[in-house]
Amino acid sequence: MPNTAELIARTGGQTVRRIVFSEEEIARRVAEMGRDITGAFPLDEDLLVLGLLKGSFIFLADLVRHITRPLHVDFLVAASYGAGTVSTGEVRLVYDPEASIAGRNVILVEDIIDSGTTINRLIPLLEQRRPRTLELCALLHKRIAPALVKEPRWLGFHAPREFLIGYGLDHSENFRNLPFIASL
Ligand code: IMP
Ligand code: MG
């Protein structure tokens, strides 16, 4: 665990409220999730792990190393219209995976579920491509979304309803490199 001085140095002088999930806690949980996912699909079926950029990049990189079976990795980039911290509810795909989805077992990997807007737009869009199965894996879930079209089959942690940074999560593109998750 970094001490206060190290923490302030790492965040460029910003005061982090508290560390919510430590590097060790995250590593333990992600390893468990990887094991669960490994056992969830027959070995003779293929598996596509689809990361939602940018927030999931560190989680996905750690997660797939704990999925000890053959798989493919691809990414998609979604952007919500409008700037700032309030979502306008519109989500569009800025990068569409090259990997075909039809007939495959697909796991969509999301960093954090907040309002649920992103998931509620992307899941139906991916379903239209007729995957064999489509499951959701999220590291964090704030549980404020009134109605999610799909709940994560694999969830890392229940998240406090605070703005979180680190382990891929950003605030204005900062802090993604912190190895722990903190509240700003
Ligand atoms: P949703 O569409 O409101 O569920 O928001 C999902 C996206 O918003 C996530 O993929 C994150 O990129 C971003 N987000 C939501 N909450 C947080 C947070 O606490 N910290 C950083 N990013 C967040
Ligand atoms: Mg994100």
Side-chain angles (χ1 to χ4, degrees), residues 48 50 74-76 92-104 106 121-134:
L48 173 65
L50 205 50
D74 211 331
F75 295 96
L76 37 90
R92 73 200 152 97
L93 279 183
V94 238
Y95 169 75
D96 209 359
E98 285 167 19
S100 103
I101 283 165
R104 306 179 73 186
V106 179
R121 299 293 161 124
L122 287 183
I123 293 286
L125 206 143
L126 294 173
E127 294 276 18
Q128 281 172 14
R129 300 180 187 183
R130 302 264 164 252
R132 180 190 183 98
T133 59
L134 178 61

Side-chain angles (χ1 to χ4, degrees), residues 104-130:
R104 306 179 73 186
N105 296 308
V106 179
I107 304 179
L108 182 64
V109 178
E110 167 72 308
D111 52 356
I112 183 165
I113 302 172
D114 184 14
S115 72
T117 307
T118 311
I119 287 311
N120 285 343
R121 299 293 161 124
L122 287 183
I123 293 286
L125 206 143
L126 294 173
E127 294 276 18
Q128 281 172 14
R129 300 180 187 183
R130 302 264 164 252

Side-chain angles (χ1 to χ4, degrees), residues 36-162:
D36 287 349
I37 292 172
T38 304
F41 299 92
L43 273 175
D44 60 352
E45 290 178 16
D46 70 356
L47 179 62
L48 173 65
V49 181
L50 205 50
L52 194 47
L53 290 178
K54 300 176 197 169
S56 74
F57 81 111
I58 293 180
F59 173 43
L60 183 127
D62 285 343
L63 181 70
V64 292
R65 281 177 283 182
H66 290 284
I67 305 177
T68 53
R69 54 151 292 151
L71 57 77
H72 288 184
V73 173
D74 211 331
F75 295 96
L76 37 90
V77 183
S80 41
Y81 289 106
T85 49
V86 181
S87 165
T88 56
E90 283 303 309
V91 174
R92 73 200 152 97
L93 279 183
V94 238
Y95 169 75
D96 209 359
E98 285 167 19
S100 103
I101 283 165
R104 306 179 73 186
N105 296 308
V106 179
I107 304 179
L108 182 64
V109 178
E110 167 72 308
D111 52 356
I112 183 165
I113 302 172
D114 184 14
S115 72
T117 307
T118 311
I119 287 311
N120 285 343
R121 299 293 161 124
L122 287 183
I123 293 286
L125 206 143
L126 294 173
E127 294 276 18
Q128 281 172 14
R129 300 180 187 183
R130 302 264 164 252
R132 180 190 183 98
T133 59
L134 178 61
E135 299 286 356
L136 182 59
C137 173
L139 179 64
L140 301 158
H141 193 340
K142 288 189 188 171
R143 299 201 182 278
I144 49 183
L148 274 186
V149 297
K150 191 184 278 288
E151 284 293 332
R153 176 162 171 195
W154 300 280
L155 173 66
F157 302 101
H158 294 222
R161 294 170 185 181
E162 297 164 28

